[in-house]
Amino acid sequence: MNYNEDNSSSIPPRLVSETCMDLFLIEMVDTVCRTTTSEPDGDNDAIFYKLETLGYVVGQRLIERFTKDRLRFVDTLDVVKFICKDLWTIMFKKQIDNLKTNHRGVYVLQDNGFRWFMRMSTDVGGADSAKKAMPYVWFPCGIIRGALASLGVPSVVVAETSNLPQCTFQIKIAK
């Protein structure tokens, strides 16, 4: 039997170890940070661009794969709910903890136990930890933006964290 046939119901799922994915993300961010030339004064725009672009492509591909048999979404709120429930569950084995909107194109997604931050710490802690964790949210920002773009919702996604492992993603829908 050919496992590449789309119509076969006996296709075994392709699974990747969660630990391998966590370690891959850590190594990917570290490699991009080490190999990307940035300004000496701490301007990390080039690192942000690379990580966010990588995430964008991953987000597009994830949506392409996981929505191929789904009906089209009715409105933007349905798309964001899909990101919060279905995509987040696929990526992190849980839903977003909190979704807020101002009904004017701004959505705030809060994850109180962001998986990729669960094992992070620094010697100093607090604000130092949050600052060092920022490159690790640029990739998921790109994933969210790429997923939304693939679903026909152009957006700008920014993230902030002040208390690990909590992370907040703000989505601004582009008009």
Side-chain angles (χ1 to χ4, degrees):
M1 170 163 271
N2 184 356
Y3 286 118
N4 293 328
E5 295 177 15
D6 288 336
N7 297 333
S8 176
S9 62
S10 62
I11 296 175
R14 296 181 193 173
L15 302 176
V16 177
S17 166
E18 292 176 19
T19 303
C20 286
M21 285 305 298
D22 292 346
L23 294 173
F24 172 74
L25 174 77
I26 292 167
E27 190 58 35
M28 177 188 67
V29 171
D30 183 56
T31 300
V32 169
C33 288
R34 279 188 291 109
T35 60
T36 302
T37 305
S38 63
E39 298 297 320
D41 63 354
D43 184 18
N44 294 323
D45 288 344
I47 296 169
F48 166 80
Y49 179 77
K50 278 189 177 183
L51 290 171
E52 203 269 349
T53 302
L54 285 169
Y56 183 86
V57 172
V58 169
Q60 286 182 315
R61 291 181 181 173
L62 285 172
I63 289 301
E64 186 176 307
R65 180 175 182 169
F66 293 114
T67 61
K68 67 181 179 180
D69 297 326
R70 261 184 103 87
L71 296 174
R72 296 261 180 210
F73 293 99
V74 177
D75 63 2
T76 304
L77 182 58
D78 288 338
V79 172
V80 174
K81 285 181 181 178
F82 174 81
I83 299 294
C84 293
K85 293 179 181 178
D86 298 315
L87 183 63
W88 221 255
T89 301
I90 290 166
M91 291 175 43
F92 302 111
K93 307 289 187 247
K94 67 182 231 80
Q95 295 181 8
I96 282 286
D97 294 313
N98 196 2
L99 167 63
K100 295 179 184 176
T101 181
N102 67 358
H103 298 288
R104 293 187 200 112
V106 176
Y107 300 88
V108 178
L109 289 60
Q110 184 173 358
D111 191 336
N112 295 326
F114 188 55
R115 178 181 174 85
W116 291 342
F117 287 171
M118 295 302 280
R119 296 183 188 102
M120 281 191 179
S121 66
T122 60
D123 296 336
V124 179
D128 181 59
S129 295
K131 183 180 177 185
K132 289 183 179 181
M134 283 311 295
Y136 294 90
V137 296
W138 296 337
F139 182 71
C141 282
I143 291 174
I144 295 168
R145 191 173 70 85
L148 289 169
S150 286
L151 294 170
V153 181
S155 62
V156 174
V157 181
V158 294
E160 63 181 43
T161 183
S162 58
N163 188 18
L164 296 181
Q166 183 181 18
C167 188
T168 303
F169 297 91
Q170 183 179 39
I171 301 169
K172 293 180 184 175
I173 305 303
K175 303 273 178 174

